Each structure stands twice: as structure tokens, then as C-alpha cells.
Amino acid sequence: MNPGSGTLVINILSEGKAETYEGIYQCTARNERGAAISNNIVVRPSRSPLWTKEKLEPMTLQNGQPLVLPCRPPIGLPPPIIFWMDNSFQRLPQSERVSQGLNGDLYFSNVLPEDTREDYICYARFNHTQTIQQKQPISVKVISGKSSGERPPTFLTPEGNASNKEELRGNTLSLECIAEGLPTPIIHWRKEDGTLPANRTFYKNFRKTLQIIHVSEADSGKYQCIAKNALGVVHHTIAVTVKAAPYWIMAPRNLVLSPGEDGSLICRANGNPKPKISWLTNGVPIEIAPDDPSRKIDGDTIIFSTIQERSSAVYQCNASNEYGYLLANAFVNVLAEPPRILTSANTLYQVIANRPALLDCVFFGSPLPTIEWFKGAKGSALREDIYVLHENGTLEIPVAQKDSTGTYTCVARNKLGMAKNEVQLEIKDPTMIIKQPEYAVVQRGGTVTFECKVKHDPTLVPTVRWLKDNSELPNEDRFTVNKDHLVIADVIDHDGGTYTCVANTTLDNVSASAMLSVVAPTPTPAPIYDVPNPPFDLELTNHLDKSVQLSWTPGDNNNSPITKFIIEYEDSMHDAGLWHHLTEVPGTQTTTQLQLSPYVNYSFRVVAVNSIGSSLPSEASEQYLTKAAEPDKNPTNVEGLGSEPDNLVITWKPLSGFESNGPGLQYKVSWRQKDGDDDWTSVVVANVSKYIVSGTPTFVPYLIKVQALNDVGFAPEPAAVMGHSGEDLPMVAPGNVRVNVVNSTLAEVHWDPVPLKSIRGHLQGYRIYYWKTQSTSKRSKRHLEKKILTFQGSKTHGMLPGLEPFSHYKLNVRVVNGKGEGPASPDRVFTTPEGVPSAPSSLKIINPTLDSLTLEWEPPSHPNGILTEYTLKYQPINSTHELGPLVDIKIPANKTRWTLKNLNFSTRYKFYFYAQTSAGSGSQITEEAVTTVDEGKMAGIPPDVGAGKVQAIKPRIRNLTAAAAETSATVSWEYEGPEHVTFYIEYGVVGSKEDWRKEIVNGSRSYFGLKGLMPGTAYKVRVGAEGDSGFVSAEDVFETGPAMASRQVDIATQGWFIGLMCAVALLILILLIVCFIRRNKGGKYPVKEKEDAHADPEIQPMKEDDGTFGEYSDAEYQRPSKKGSRTPSERTVDKAGSDDSLVDYGEGVNGQFNEDGSFIGQYSGKKEKEPAEGNESSEAPSPVNAMNSFV
């Protein structure tokens, strides 16, 4: 182990074989305050066993038959990478017909004569041992001639109609379906009752493999692959279950307490299955650690009560399930320190008047000291109505005045002592510019002076500097700066600009600016620049049906050239008084040919534009009426919707008068059923925007066309759009309604979908009506109000939150379309299980005597089941308010009164009382009372002793759950406590620094729906109560469902990439042939010897995706490189690599062949892995938290 670092170094070159060090390692750091431990580190050597010898018989098949070439590689650590090549080391081509499966086998959906060859070779590449193993070649002969015949698809893998798949949360889920058939089948994928997640779904191996990256519990479900060709379709369903190694919800944090204080360590984790929480102290299981009376373990929480200094220790929390574990260290430090003030004594603070002043008082102590500030030697404590006292001890004076000057004393106190510190505050006058520089105009060659007179506090020394255009003044002798003035001599044009005077002190700064304009020595009248005068003399010539020539004369340009002319028009027939933009022409052009529309009464005007702006419009030209023509466009926004079950309402956006192209604008409306053989039915209507077709069948798709026409003719034939006739109420109720009671307040409902033909409309969703018929405990016959939940779309299941425990419910399901609800399904009856009861309604202590007390109570208002018994616990309280031993009594459930005897006289007792059902214990109610006093001692007892009052029921929220969809979630909970409480929901994104978002729950419901959530996002949620007795539940974490997947482009299918890889493969093949010639065939070159001779060889990479080899490197002809080595030069495992998983490894090759024909590659280049952040815990993404691999 390296001295002083804690790093364990294992040198396998000098200290034995790697197998010697296989095992589980753990680091412990210990000092007098405790011991911390690391995660388990699993070390396993990599292995690459040889292929099992087997005799492979040649395969002979008819043309068109399916074929599977088995690979069955040896099991290595880590598993090898499989690829198929021929004797020439060329990758065998793959396609939709021929592809390699995830298990390495080569699948042929159907064989062709060109598949005949004798060198189908499967290669297994073991990266960590830097070797490639080769299977014996397989010979395949395809008999040409008549094909075996076309056939529908069947699956080669997986077998059967259904299979199961498990994957870990955060990993990549790979699902594979390979089918045979003739013609070659095409594979499609879909997820039942859901959609494939957006941005995380990829298709590999010609869509035969579906990959979903970063899977979560929301990705569980049934996935279906569909193989289809011209002769049929076959389906296979894969049921996917996503398990999860433990992950943190709340890791324990370091805790600093003072003796006698209370505190807690919380360790919360989630996973699938739910992880088990165990605690250690100083590396020892807490069950066998020395007992600490101030410590109590409550599941995932350690509670410290009245802690002492000897309780300081390092606690470890371990959350584990069958897929992994988490470990976190938390230091509980018990300190008893009197206050100390760390701010330097007599620190001087200087502040400008009317600005805030902040006086520091940095302190330390345990228990946390209280801070007070005083002004002057005998001043009283400063109040928060004038001053602001910050939690870190800082005193803020919001607006410091001259009278704020003085000495301020900070006093820190706790029960162990007191400390104080004095600081000084001085208030200074602000710096002001009382004479500012002024705007100046100077002739070229003249002199200008800017004045800047500053007033400041006499104890501060100002510095004045000048800037030109916010930059330093030019370094020229013409610029002179004295105390209050800036003088510029021999002014030039470049001196024009903004000059700024800046006055700085150590506490503030002010500035003032003025503009300098430089003019010519003998100014001449400046030309007048203005917008052009309006054009005039507009003339129309060359009149044609759809065009006319317009000419005009430009007005004066007013010393700025005209850049363009804008031509506008007015249509006095359809839009009189409105001018519209028609076209623009260059400023050098005064005539243009205008393209016009039919049947418009045109007038024109012209606007001239220069760099200053636009002229007034010219006078209007003479009018010109164009000839009518048939319409050249049809109405837009054509729709067909029914307002009644037996009609079809066709609507459209009519053409404008300008678009009519002629008089007599009408519309030809045509329709026919989409799936029928009927001819088009047409009717011509006036210039309207709606037509109603009556007598249609209910909710039938129609094809609709609306064509414009006028007195001249018809517009072009329009495209048909699809609409539907009117909807009617659904005819059929959902069937096979099933209810699964999840817990005492939540149930899950499933139903079969209604056939689309029976819906008779657009499916809006399904609606569940449910109501409570009676309580199992109270046998109430009161009929409660029905509740309704609607589930959008084609969902066939839903959750019912907010149910009452131990109650009978009925429900039915109805389908909903755009018209309304269909008939209800038969009522389904279900019963919620028992829950824990609420607290007893009241508890009174009566008839106190010298040695007895009588308790009377009323049963819980919400028993939530059948009460089995009551539990009464009580303990005495002495004069110093210390609690005595606790006595536990079980009382039958039919009792409402109980007398305790043999008590101590003149003693105060505290009682804890709660009811129980078979589901567990309910909330407790507490009370205190005193036995009567011996008359001889009555005088020493205060008059109010013995009159204890029943404390209010302590409310609580438990069983917080969240059922999430893609953009919404339903949150439910169980509440115990007083009635008429207003709840609220707070939620936010996990890991986000944004504030919690808050929603108020209407009424006293115990469920709430959250909407507008982001898909595929983890959220945290909690429930609280408003008012003085406000409280908040524990947090829950849920993840919304994924959004729709987007199409991805696979680079491996791009033509340019395939061509580039082919060229690289050809070059490598030539190099390999040259190497084979130079090295005697059958020569043996062990990899280990080359590693020993060359500790750092230059690496030539082997690409994993195409299976081609890197460039051959011979140690006799190539010098080793200084970089690219797989491990450090000392062959040690460095610290950064100590967390590597078996899946994190690099690859590369310097290739050679053994005598047995197997190919040995030397690889290097490790994929770098970022170290996990955080100094106290780490999360295991797999069953093995950390693993180092040795060769």
C-alpha cells in the first residue's frame, strides 16, 4: 500500500498471477473519532478459454430454405465480441435476409445459391486477454434450381408466441426477433398499451433488434415484434420487467450536535425489489456494536435523543437488493464548545451615507450560539425593527446615517459561555460633481476646455480621470489635465466625441459626460436633405387582359438619390378606399408592366423612397377594369363534421371578391362515402360558407370537394378531403371489467376496449363511475355521492385513489365519444381492506385517588376496520420532568373505561393511548394527570397540578403514492388527524435547484391530479396541510412516462461510410498478406513475450462495429511508441481505474497467428470513465459495485 495515501497497489508482474488476487476488497479509514469504510471492490481476472473441438459436417440445402449457423463461443470474462468472416478476413455481408443474432449465430431467412461457400468462420474477440479465437469453418452448399416454395413468416428466434425479458434500470434493453420466410419478412416493433420512448429508442440489425437506452421502471410492459411478408403475418410478445439496483432518495449526511441535543440520520433508497436498509457504526454492524442509550433505530432512520460526547462515531448505511448495494458514511460529531468569534477585533468599517452597512460577526460554538448586537458602551440590544440581524451573525443597517457612526459590540452566547467582539463604523459623505462638463462646439484648430469640480468627504482622497468615448484619452501633448479642467488644444475632427469625468474614492465613484462637436472654420450653409417629392403625371398604356403599362415622372429627390419606387393599387369594385402593395421597381426606372387579376377595377399610385424616407403618394391614375375569367383557386379550410347523427355539415372559407375573377361567384359542393361505391353527389350553392347534407348514416367517413365557379367557368378540380357524418352515443359498454385492490385507499381497474364500430364516433376515452355502498365496520345504508374519473384515449386501465379503508364499493365503466357516454358496464363490487384506525376521539382522567386513576375514552371516529384492542402506555414524571419506566397494558376493544391501581401517590403520570386493528396501530392520544396528594404535603403543591388536559391529536400523512403517465400523475395519501384540513401538493424535478411548485387541493380529498409534467422526468412530491398546525408528509419520487420516439439516422447505413470502411479493409488485407509472406506460415509469436519485450507498444485499433483488423505491427520493424499503453508503465492499477466495471475496456490490435490457426490480437486503449462525484457515498449501477480486471 502506498504510504500515506490508502491506495493498495498490486503488481502482478512481480508478485504472482492475477488469479491469486481474485476476491472482494474493502478499505477502512480509522482514527480516534471513528472508522469509515469504502464500497466493496471486486477483483476478477479476465479469461479467454479455447473453443471446444468439434467436427462440423457440411450443410446442404434447397434454394429458399431457412438456415441457422451456430457459433456457440466459449464463455469468457468479460464475454467475447462475435463477428463472422471468411478465410480472407473479409466481413460477411449482412442484410434483411442474412443477419447475426445477439447470441452470435448467423441467421438466413432463406438461402440463395450465392450463399454457397466453405468458409463461414465465427470469430470471438477477448479484449482483456488481447486474443481472438476462431471456430472451425462451416461449409454450406445451396442446391440451385426450383425454390422450396413461398411460405409465410415464422420466428427463428425467439421461439413460441411469447417470452420474458428482465433488464436493470439504467442499462440498455435489447429485444431481438429474427424470422424466416419467403419472400424475406420485414420486422416491425410496437409497445402494447403505450408508445416507444422518444430519443431513447434505436433499431439495429435491419430492425430485427430493438434497443432502448437508459431504461426505467416506466419501460416495463409488453413489446410486440411483427414479422410480415406477402403470405402472412406472425407476432411474438416479449414481457419486459425492469428491475433496479438500489439508488439514493436521501443519503445520510454528517451531523454536528452538542451534548443533550436531539438529531437524526436518514437513509432512504429505492430499487426493484425494494432494498433492505442496514446500519453499521465504525464499520461494525449496529446490532453487535456497543450499546448507546441515546440511539434508537427506526428502519431507515437513526434517532438520537439527549446525545452525549461519547456518542461521536461514523455511521454507515447499506441499502442492498439482489442487483447491487449502496454504502454511505455519515460522521456524527458531538461537540461541546463555548462560543468563539472569528472576526478580527476592532475592525473598521467605512460606509458612504444613505447606503447599507454590513458589520460581520463570524462565530463558532456548540450548541449553536445566539447572537446579539449592542451600540456603545451601555447601549441596549439592537432591535430588528430598525436593524436586520442575519443568521450568520452579520448586522445590517439598511440606510446608514451620520449618527450611525460608533462602536458596535457583537455578543455570542450558549450554555457553555459567552464571547464578544467590538467593531468600528464610520459614515462618510458621498462624492459629488458640483460643476459638470458641458456640451461644446469648437472650430477645427481651436481650443476647448471642460470643467469638472468635485466635492468629497474630507477624510477621503479622490482621484479624477478623463475618458473619451469610454476609453483612455489619446497620449498626445494637445490634451492637458489639471485639478478641475481638461484642455484640448489644436482641435482636429477626430477629437469629436463624448468626454467623461470620473471621480473615484476608496468607497464610491461618480461621473459626468459632455459631447464635443468639431466644425469647419468657415461653415457654409448645409444642404437640405429630405424625403423625395411625390411622383406625378401617371399614365396607363399597352392595355391587355391581365396586364397594363404604367409610366410616371419622378419628383425632386431633395439632395438624396431615389433608391426605389413602390406601386400601390385600389380595387374600387371590391375594396374601395383601401390601397394595397403591388410591386417595387428600382429608383432609375420610371415605367413598368404590371401583372393584374381578372375582373378588378384598378387605380394606381406611386411612392418614391430615398435614404431619408418615403415621399407622399402620387395622385391616383385613371381606372382600368380587367376582363372577367374563371376562378383560378378553390376555397380553403374545407371540413366535414356532423352536428346530428344523421347529417354532414360541410364548411369552407369562401373566396374574397378579389379572388372571384368574375361575376356570379358560386360553389359546387360534392360528397360521397369513402368506403362505398356510390358516385359523387353534387349541388351548386350561392356564395355561402356552409352546406348541410341530411339523411346520412351515423359516423361514416366521407370524401368532400368544394369547387369555385362563376359566370365564366369553373376553377381547377379540387383535392378531396375526408370528413365524418354526425356522431351518436356509443352502443356497447366495456366488457370484462376487473378490479385489483392495491391497498386500503387505492384500486386498479382494467377493462376490455369497446369495438370501434360500436363507439359510433371519435373515441374520447373511458369514464369510471364509482361510489361507496356502505362501510364494513358501520354497516351504514347511507348512499354516498358517485365519483367520476375519466381516462383519455384508448387506455384500458386506470387507478382509483382516495378510497376509504374497510368499505364496500361499486363501479361501472362507460366509453365516451364526442357525442357523450355509452351504456354502463355491469356494476362490479369490491371491498377495500382494513387500515389503521384514527386516534381515539377523546381521553379523560377522572376520579383521581392516592393510588389510582380512572381513564374514560370514546372510540376512534374512523376505525377503518374492526378494532381488536386498545394499548395503554404510561410512565411517571418526576419533579425535573424526567420520564420513568414505561408500562404497557392491552385493553379489550369493547371497553371504554379502565381504572389503574397501585399507583404512587402525589405523582404525575403521562399516558399514551391508541387503538389497533388487524392492519396495525393507529395514531395515539396523550394525557397527563396526577394522583391525589397526602394531606400532610398538600401545602407544597401548586394549585393547578393534577388537572391535566388531553392534548390535540397529532395529525400525520402516510402511504404517499404517485401513479404517473406521460405528462400527468395522480397522487394519493392517507390522512389521520382532525377534520376540515386544507391540503396542498408540492412537487419539483429531482435534482433541480428550483423552488417547489405548489397546488391547493379542493375540499378534503386524499388524492390530486398533476398535469403539464415533462415526459421521461423524475419528480419529487410531498403533501402538507395549511394553517397553524401545518405539517408535511415524507417525500415520494416518481417518473413520468416517455414521449414519442424520433427517427434516428444510423451512420453505419450511410453509403459514404460503407465505402470508406471497404477501402480501409482492403488496405489492411494487403498489409496482412505482406506480413504473412515475411513471417513463415505457422510461426508462433506469444503475446506475453511481446508484452514483456515491449511494455508500451503502439496501438493499431480494431473497429468493433465492422470487425476489421488494425494495421499489422511487427516488433522487429516498428519501434514502440511512448503513448497508447493499456496500463501505466509500472503495470500497477492506478487510482483512477479502481472503479472500472468489466464493461469499460478498450480495444486495439497488433495481430499474429498461432500454429493452430487461431488469431491472437494485442489490444490496448482503455475507455476513460469519469470518477463518481461526492465524498461520502456512491451508487452501484450493477450487482458488482466496482471491479478491476487484470490480464
Side-chain angles (χ1 to χ4, degrees):
M1 188 168 70
N2 288 342
S5 71
T7 299
L8 179 64
V9 179
I10 301 175
N11 191 336
I12 62 175
L13 295 181
S14 61
E15 300 179 10
K17 296 183 179 180
E19 289 80 0
T20 306
Y21 303 98
E22 182 172 3
I24 301 176
Y25 295 77
Q26 190 173 50
C27 173
T28 301
R30 189 185 308 275
N31 64 11
E32 61 182 8
R33 306 293 287 177
I37 61 177
S38 71
N39 284 317
N40 287 342
I41 301 173
V42 180
V43 177
R44 300 177 65 188
S46 57
R47 299 181 177 89
S48 55
L50 296 175
W51 225 297
T52 304
K53 296 295 183 180
E54 58 180 331
K55 183 177 180 180
L56 301 176
E57 298 293 337
M59 297 184 179
T60 303
L61 300 92
Q62 291 287 340
N63 182 20
Q65 287 186 309
L67 173 63
V68 180
L69 297 183
C71 179
R72 293 192 289 272
I75 299 175
L77 183 66
I81 298 171
I82 306 300
F83 49 91
W84 289 79
M85 296 198 297
D86 58 17
N87 275 331
S88 301
F89 304 106
Q90 296 297 312
R91 186 78 177 252
L92 294 177
Q94 297 188 21
S95 63
E96 292 181 344
R97 185 179 62 86
V98 182
S99 60
Q100 177 183 318
L102 295 176
N103 63 353
D105 294 349
L106 192 63
Y107 292 86
F108 295 76
S109 295
N110 50 79
V111 296
L112 299 175
E114 53 263 32
D115 297 327
T116 299
R117 62 190 313 148
E118 298 179 351
D119 56 351
Y120 286 96
I121 305 173
C122 181
Y123 290 86
R125 181 172 67 196
F126 300 90
N127 284 346
H128 271 240
T129 58
Q130 304 175 352
T131 58
I132 292 181
Q133 302 290 354
Q134 166 187 331
K135 186 183 176 73
Q136 293 293 326
I138 301 176
S139 175
V140 174
K141 182 178 181 181
V142 180
I143 301 175
S144 60
K146 185 176 180 181
S147 171
S148 61
E150 295 186 345
R151 60 188 180 278
T154 58
F155 284 111
L156 296 174
T157 184
E159 298 179 352
N161 296 326
S163 59
N164 299 311
K165 174 77 172 181
E166 285 190 359
E167 191 54 78
L168 280 183
R169 180 179 184 265
N171 288 356
T172 297
L173 172 66
S174 296
L175 304 179
E176 179 182 61
C177 281
I178 301 178
E180 64 90 6
L182 191 66
T184 301
I186 303 299
I187 302 295
H188 298 280
W189 292 88
R190 73 181 186 90
K191 183 180 181 183
E192 297 182 6
D193 300 329
T195 57
L196 295 174
N199 303 324
R200 295 191 293 116
T201 302
F202 302 90
Y203 298 99
K204 306 288 186 181
N205 198 17
F206 308 96
R207 296 185 70 90
K208 300 177 185 179
T209 301
L210 171 70
Q211 284 189 349
I212 301 177
I213 63 175
H214 308 307
V215 294
S216 65
E217 289 84 344
D219 295 317
S220 296
K222 293 184 178 181
Y223 294 78
Q224 191 175 76
C225 63
I226 305 166
K228 180 179 181 180
N229 67 6
L231 276 73
V233 178
V234 64
H235 302 76
H236 183 91
T237 301
I238 305 174
V240 173
T241 303
V242 178
K243 301 291 186 179
Y247 55 92
W248 287 121
I249 295 176
M250 180 183 295
R253 298 180 179 178
N254 291 339
L255 189 62
V256 178
L257 298 172
S258 64
E261 285 188 330
D262 299 337
S264 62
L265 289 178
I266 300 176
C267 174
R268 292 201 178 117
N270 203 358
N272 187 10
K274 187 73 175 179
K276 177 184 177 183
I277 303 294
S278 60
W279 290 92
L280 301 90
T281 176
N282 293 329
V284 177
I286 204 164
E287 293 80 7
I288 62 175
D291 187 39
D292 186 348
S294 66
R295 179 182 65 215
K296 177 184 177 183
I297 301 174
D298 184 8
D300 59 5
T301 304
I302 297 181
I303 302 172
F304 298 97
S305 302
T306 319
I307 198 167
Q308 302 301 318
E309 286 192 62
R310 64 177 180 274
S311 299
S312 292
V314 180
Y315 288 84
Q316 290 84 31
C317 173
N318 186 319
S320 60
N321 63 14
E322 60 187 279
Y323 299 103
Y325 83 99
L326 300 173
L327 180 69
N329 292 276
F331 179 36
V332 178
N333 191 7
V334 183
L335 289 176
E337 290 285 340
R340 284 184 288 163
I341 296 180
L342 308 180
T343 302
S344 300
N346 293 316
T347 301
L348 175 61
Y349 294 92
Q350 295 180 328
V351 178
I352 296 296
N354 297 319
R355 295 189 183 180
L358 297 174
L359 308 183
D360 295 330
C361 182
V362 181
F363 63 91
F364 177 76
S366 180
L368 188 68
T370 59
I371 301 298
E372 287 185 303
W373 281 89
F374 300 86
K375 181 182 179 183
K378 299 181 180 180
S380 59
L382 302 181
R383 302 189 310 275
E384 291 196 18
D385 55 347
I386 301 176
Y387 302 89
V388 178
L389 302 179
H390 293 276
E391 291 184 359
N392 63 356
T394 298
L395 173 67
E396 179 181 352
I397 305 174
V399 181
Q401 303 293 337
K402 277 291 188 177
D403 58 2
S404 301
T405 300
T407 300
Y408 290 79
T409 303
C410 168
V411 179
R413 291 188 180 90
N414 66 10
K415 65 182 180 181
L416 299 178
M418 180 267 287
K420 65 180 181 178
N421 184 46
E422 292 183 351
V423 296
Q424 307 297 323
L425 175 62
E426 293 181 355
I427 307 301
K428 305 295 184 180
D429 291 328
T431 303
M432 295 183 293
I433 298 177
I434 58 176
K435 181 63 176 177
Q436 297 186 359
E438 297 179 350
Y439 172 75
V441 178
V442 63
Q443 294 183 4
R444 193 183 304 118
T447 299
V448 65
T449 300
F450 290 109
E451 184 178 7
C452 180
K453 195 168 185 177
V454 178
K455 179 184 178 182
H456 59 89
D457 190 279
T459 62
L460 301 177
V461 178
T463 59
V464 178
R465 65 190 185 108
W466 289 85
L467 303 176
K468 178 182 183 296
D469 296 331
N470 293 323
S471 300
E472 296 294 331
L473 291 177
N475 188 16
E476 299 180 21
D477 294 338
R478 298 184 300 106
F479 292 83
T480 303
V481 178
N482 54 33
K483 180 180 179 181
D484 297 327
H485 298 85
L486 167 66
V487 180
I488 307 174
D490 195 14
V491 174
I492 60 177
D493 292 338
H494 186 67
D495 293 337
T498 301
Y499 289 83
T500 304
C501 166
V502 181
N504 290 289
T505 68
T506 55
L507 299 180
D508 64 345
N509 65 81
V510 291
S511 63
S513 300
M515 176 77 72
L516 173 63
S517 297
V518 181
V519 297
T522 55
T524 57
I528 298 175
Y529 297 93
D530 201 355
V531 299
N533 292 341
F536 55 96
D537 288 345
L538 274 64
E539 184 179 5
L540 297 178
T541 58
N542 195 18
H543 299 73
L544 300 176
D545 289 345
K546 293 186 179 181
S547 68
V548 69
Q549 181 172 292
L550 174 65
S551 302
W552 64 91
T553 301
D556 193 300
N557 64 15
N558 292 327
N559 299 308
S560 179
I562 296 175
T563 57
K564 65 180 179 180
F565 292 98
I566 301 174
I567 293 98
E568 298 176 341
Y569 74 91
E570 177 198 22
D571 179 9
S572 60
M573 183 184 299
H574 304 106
D575 291 319
L578 295 178
W579 289 89
H580 306 275
H581 181 278
L582 181 59
T583 188
E584 297 179 3
V585 298
T588 57
Q589 187 174 329
T590 59
T591 183
T592 184
Q593 190 76 21
L594 303 177
Q595 300 301 317
L596 309 178
S597 295
Y599 200 64
V600 176
N601 195 16
Y602 282 98
S603 295
F604 303 98
R605 69 183 186 184
V606 182
V607 177
V609 180
N610 65 7
S611 60
I612 307 300
S614 301
S615 71
L616 295 174
S618 67
E619 295 291 333
S621 69
E622 61 179 301
Q623 292 186 345
Y624 177 55
L625 177 62
T626 54
K627 186 178 179 181
E630 66 274 1
D632 52 18
K633 62 188 300 186
N634 285 301
T636 56
N637 297 342
V638 178
E639 293 182 344
L641 299 171
S643 60
E644 297 295 336
D646 60 349
N647 73 6
L648 171 66
V649 180
I650 302 173
T651 60
W652 60 90
K653 180 181 178 181
L655 300 181
S656 66
F658 184 85
E659 296 168 330
S660 64
N661 287 3
L665 177 63
Q666 295 178 301
Y667 300 101
K668 179 183 178 183
V669 183
S670 305
W671 67 92
R672 70 176 177 86
Q673 289 191 22
K674 178 178 181 294
D675 299 323
D677 297 326
D678 297 338
D679 293 335
W680 290 90
T681 302
S682 301
V683 63
V684 176
V685 299
N687 187 12
V688 295
S689 61
K690 181 173 69 174
Y691 182 77
I692 300 177
V693 181
S694 301
T696 62
T698 301
F699 196 67
V700 173
Y702 277 82
L703 294 178
I704 302 165
K705 296 188 295 185
V706 179
Q707 185 179 21
L709 67 151
N710 59 19
D711 292 348
V712 179
F714 287 83
E717 184 69 21
V721 299
M722 191 174 75
H724 283 84
S725 57
E727 299 178 87
D728 204 349
L729 295 176
M731 301 171 58
V732 177
N736 193 20
V737 178
R738 290 97 64 201
V739 181
N740 175 30
V741 178
V742 179
N743 56 40
S744 60
T745 63
L746 183 68
E748 184 176 15
V749 184
H750 291 261
W751 60 88
D752 290 346
V754 173
L756 292 178
K757 290 186 178 179
S758 301
I759 295 176
R760 301 202 297 178
H762 296 285
L763 175 62
Q764 303 292 323
Y766 291 86
R767 189 169 291 160
I768 299 178
Y769 286 76
Y770 64 102
W771 62 97
K772 178 181 173 184
T773 57
Q774 67 182 48
S775 170
T776 306
S777 59
K778 295 184 178 179
R779 304 296 179 185
S780 172
K781 298 299 182 180
R782 183 168 56 94
H783 184 76
L784 300 181
E785 179 183 358
K786 290 186 178 180
K787 298 182 180 179
I788 303 173
L789 278 179
T790 301
F791 298 90
Q792 303 294 330
S794 58
K795 291 191 66 173
T796 57
H797 64 90
M799 308 295 289
L800 300 183
L803 304 178
E804 294 186 18
F806 203 55
S807 300
H808 291 300
Y809 279 87
K810 286 186 179 181
L811 65 81
N812 57 54
V813 185
R814 314 177 190 201
V815 67
V816 182
N817 64 12
K819 190 72 173 179
E821 296 179 352
S825 66
D827 289 350
R828 300 289 295 181
V829 179
F830 67 96
T831 302
T832 54
E834 291 187 77
V836 298
S838 62
S841 299
S842 66
L843 174 63
K844 295 184 294 184
I845 288 81
I846 61 175
N847 301 333
T849 68
L850 281 174
D851 62 349
S852 68
L853 291 171
T854 300
L855 287 77
E856 283 189 350
W857 62 87
E858 293 183 6
S861 59
H862 299 284
N864 294 335
I866 299 175
L867 297 183
T868 58
E869 62 182 3
Y870 292 99
T871 298
L872 172 65
K873 297 180 180 180
Y874 66 94
Q875 56 190 151
I877 306 173
N878 63 17
S879 60
T880 60
H881 302 287
E882 294 179 345
L883 298 174
L886 190 66
V887 179
D888 191 329
I889 298 176
K890 303 297 183 181
I891 301 175
N894 59 353
K895 299 290 185 180
T896 59
R897 182 186 180 101
W898 193 262
T899 301
L900 296 175
K901 300 180 179 180
N902 299 322
L903 302 178
N904 297 329
F905 71 88
S906 185
T907 302
R908 179 178 291 275
Y909 286 89
K910 185 166 186 177
F911 300 92
Y912 312 88
F913 190 66
Y914 55 89
Q916 290 178 277
T917 64
S918 61
S921 301
S923 301
Q924 68 180 14
I925 185 171
T926 62
E927 173 67 289
E928 291 185 11
V930 179
T931 55
T932 57
V933 188
D934 186 3
E935 293 181 359
K937 299 181 181 180
M938 180 67 74
I941 300 177
D944 59 343
V945 173
K949 293 184 178 180
V950 177
Q951 295 182 355
I953 300 173
K954 182 179 180 181
R956 64 172 177 171
I957 294 175
R958 56 191 222 115
N959 291 343
L960 177 65
T961 58
E966 180 179 330
T967 60
S968 62
T970 299
V971 182
S972 60
W973 61 91
E974 292 181 4
Y975 166 69
E976 296 173 1
E979 297 181 353
H980 308 296
V981 174
T982 300
F983 297 107
Y984 62 86
I985 301 285
E986 290 185 321
Y987 64 100
V989 178
V990 172
S992 173
K993 295 182 179 179
E994 296 181 359
D995 294 336
W996 292 75
R997 284 175 276 181
K998 185 174 181 181
E999 300 284 350
I1000 301 298
V1001 179
N1002 292 329
S1004 58
R1005 296 184 300 173
S1006 58
Y1007 65 93
F1008 189 78
L1010 297 176
K1011 298 182 180 180
L1013 305 180
M1014 294 183 291
T1017 303
Y1019 283 87
K1020 55 186 178 181
V1021 65
R1022 63 190 184 190
V1023 179
E1026 298 277 6
D1028 296 335
S1029 60
F1031 55 93
V1032 180
S1033 70
E1035 294 180 15
D1036 190 25
V1037 175
F1038 65 91
E1039 186 168 344
T1040 53
M1044 295 295 293
S1046 60
R1047 299 183 60 185
Q1048 305 290 331
V1049 178
D1050 189 355
I1051 189 175
T1053 62
Q1054 303 299 304
W1056 64 269
F1057 181 78
I1058 296 174
L1060 176 62
M1061 292 299 100
C1062 291
V1064 172
L1066 180 60
L1067 177 60
I1068 293 174
L1069 177 61
I1070 295 173
L1071 292 175
L1072 285 173
I1073 294 174
V1074 173
C1075 293
F1076 269 46
I1077 296 174
R1078 299 186 63 176
R1079 312 288 288 190
N1080 292 330
K1081 186 174 183 181
K1084 184 174 182 180
Y1085 306 93
V1087 173
K1088 183 64 177 176
E1089 294 178 6
K1090 297 185 71 177
E1091 283 189 340
D1092 294 338
H1094 304 282
D1096 233 352
E1098 180 174 337
I1099 303 308
Q1100 301 295 335
M1102 171 180 286
K1103 292 189 68 62
E1104 186 173 337
D1105 53 1
D1106 60 3
T1108 56
F1109 295 104
E1111 188 173 309
Y1112 183 87
S1113 174
D1114 190 341
E1116 297 178 4
Y1117 300 97
Q1118 182 175 346
R1119 297 181 63 186
S1121 171
K1122 297 280 185 182
K1123 57 185 179 179
S1125 62
R1126 187 177 58 86
T1127 62
S1129 59
E1130 294 82 11
R1131 296 287 180 177
T1132 62
V1133 180
D1134 62 1
K1135 181 177 180 181
S1138 64
D1139 284 339
D1140 286 355
S1141 166
L1142 280 178
V1143 298
D1144 294 324
Y1145 55 86
E1147 51 182 286
V1149 59
N1150 286 351
Q1152 60 189 37
F1153 284 81
N1154 276 341
E1155 293 177 347
D1156 61 358
S1158 64
F1159 189 82
I1160 302 176
Q1162 294 176 332
Y1163 305 92
S1164 86
K1166 191 170 99 173
K1167 298 178 182 176
E1168 290 297 323
K1169 181 179 180 183
E1170 295 180 2
E1173 296 182 359
N1175 55 8
E1176 294 175 0
S1177 64
S1178 62
E1179 178 174 338
S1182 67
V1184 180
N1185 280 54
M1187 180 172 290
N1188 288 327
S1189 297
F1190 295 149
V1191 178

